[in-house]
């Protein structure tokens, strides 16, 4: 945990995660600041995506998994990995955008309001209002407002990813998780998504897993470096990249790793 002056949105305390007997995340503790972007970096298989998925209980969908410790969501002190907490409710509060755009085989409009419909919302005027708000929030409204009834698959890759962001924003989550959201996109679409992520942190706290260290430097406020399931170093992004405290971190960010 690094000292923070900003209000906290979540606190990770001694979190361990197991796939069967495989201990994947090892005693990780860190503070997630509200309305900031926290990046998780590290080599493949270091546990960063596994940690990310603890926040919205994605692992519950896989058998023989186990969480230990706590991820406390403020201000109501809900332990996201507590056994008494409903994972469906957690996923409404903690949204997720995946590596590859994954629009549903529905219209653009129905993709955006999907989560609201799952919640039981039937009021058409409210659905339309939330859809427009979410599409404006993901910088897609002007491109799609005249074809909301058209299939989402008609959109380009970058547009589909922005649609997935709109779908996540529509239910007004408190935290948004991004798992390498630009790895399948070209540099221009990547830039658009990065600008968008930087802009939406005004409304939602963001956690992003990225393999792209330049991306972490460009958009995040704090960065966590993980290796072999351990949190090696967690600091302000500027400090972690330019003044790392740990030799492993220094080797990784300078490209002399492994």
């Amino acid at each position: 945990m690094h000292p923070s002056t900003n209000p906290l949105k979540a606190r990770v305390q001694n979190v361990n995660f197991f796939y069967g007997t495989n201990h994947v995340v090892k005693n990780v503790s860190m503070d997630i600041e509200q309305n900031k972007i926290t990046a998780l970096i590290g080599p493949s298989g270091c546990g960063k995506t596994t940690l990310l998925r603890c926040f919205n209980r994605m692992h519950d969908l896989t058998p023989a998994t186990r969480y230990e410790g706590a991820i406390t969501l403020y201000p109501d002190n809900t332990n996201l990995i507590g056994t008494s907490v409903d994972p469906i409710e957690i996923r409404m509060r903690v949204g997720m955008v995946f590596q590859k755009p994954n629009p549903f085989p529905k219209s653009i409009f129905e993709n955006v309001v999907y989560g609201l419909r799952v919640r039981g919302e039937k009021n058409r005027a409210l659905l339309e209002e939330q859809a427009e708000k979410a599409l404006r929030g993901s910088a897609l409204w002007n491109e799609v407002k005249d074809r909301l009834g058209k299939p989402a698959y008609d959109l380009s890759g970058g547009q589909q990813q922005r649609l997935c962001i709109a779908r996540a924003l529509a239910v007004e989550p408190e935290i948004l998780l991004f798992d390498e959201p630009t790895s399948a996109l070209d540099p221009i679409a990547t830039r658009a998504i990065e600008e968008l992520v930087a802009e939406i942190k005004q409304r939602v706290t963001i956690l992003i897993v990225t393999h792209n260290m330049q991306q972490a430097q460009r958009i995040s406020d704090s960065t966590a470096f993980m290796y072999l399931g351990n949190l090696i170093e967690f600091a302000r992004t500027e400090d972690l990249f330019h003044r790392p405290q740990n030799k492993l971190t220094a080797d990784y960010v300078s490209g002399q790793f492994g």
Side-chain angles (χ1 to χ4, degrees), residues 7-8 25 38 42 48 51 103-104 107 112 114 154 167 180 182 204 218 222 233 243 245 255:
L8 294 186
V25 172
T38 302
K48 56 190 187 295
L51 177 63
F104 301 137
S107 68
V112 181
Y114 180 81
D154 289 357
R167 186 173 70 198
E180 295 190 50
T182 59
V204 62
R218 281 194 296 266
S222 298
E233 189 165 345
R243 294 173 287 281
Q245 301 298 301

Side-chain angles (χ1 to χ4, degrees), residues 99-110:
Q99 198 164 352
K100 292 196 171 67
N102 60 339
F104 301 137
K106 298 171 179 283
S107 68
I108 293 169
F109 178 80
E110 286 302 333

Side-chain angles (χ1 to χ4, degrees), residues 11-23:
R11 170 165 276 169
V12 179
Q13 287 167 292
N14 308 116
V15 167
N16 289 277
F17 180 77
F18 301 82
Y19 283 112
T21 55
N22 189 6
H23 192 180

Side-chain angles (χ1 to χ4, degrees), residues 151-208:
Y153 291 149
D154 289 357
L155 299 172
S156 71
Q159 288 175 322
Q160 286 185 16
Q161 194 61 305
R162 279 185 284 152
L163 178 67
C164 293
I165 294 171
R167 186 173 70 198
L169 286 174
V171 294
E172 300 188 336
E174 297 168 54
I175 294 180
L176 204 44
L177 310 173
F178 288 91
D179 187 6
E180 295 190 50
T182 59
S183 63
L185 303 177
D186 64 54
I188 293 171
T190 293
R191 199 48 173 233
I193 297 288
E194 285 183 7
E195 285 170 4
L196 177 56
V197 170
E199 196 247 314
I200 59 179
K201 76 172 181 183
Q202 314 301 331
R203 276 166 289 160
V204 62
T205 300
I206 292 169
L207 260 154
I208 182 167

